[in-house]
Amino acid sequence: MNASAQFVAITLDISLGIQTCLSLIHASDLAREQRDDAAPPPLNVADTESLTRMAMAAARMLSERAQGHIDVLNDMHGSAENGKRKV
């Protein structure tokens, strides 16, 4: 696989993971607000905080990888433009 395909695959995996984390966090927060003993939160407060930090770290990692790909593409474009100017 080329670098672009690998990036798209990892973007899919990470975004699905973030979506799962946020869904669990939301469900837990909502259950805590409702205070229904019959439907306790899926996560305790500490686990909710841990998942929040993990989702934030995953989003940061994804944005850093995206920036790396943008930098490579900009460098490639700049090199191509410089080559055209020399001719």
Side-chain angles (χ1 to χ4, degrees), residues 28-85:
S28 298
D29 288 344
L30 188 60
R32 272 192 283 285
E33 286 176 14
Q34 293 175 348
R35 299 178 186 184
D36 183 359
D37 292 337
L43 302 171
N44 63 35
V45 174
D47 290 341
T48 301
E49 178 62 26
S50 293
L51 272 186
T52 300
R53 286 192 312 270
M54 187 170 70
M56 291 168 48
R60 183 173 40 256
M61 182 186 73
L62 187 57
S63 67
E64 288 170 356
R65 283 186 168 227
Q67 186 61 57
H69 282 274
I70 290 168
D71 293 344
V72 167
L73 292 172
N74 284 337
D75 289 346
M76 288 172 41
H77 181 72
S79 296
E81 287 296 317
N82 287 337
K84 288 180 184 176
R85 289 182 190 143

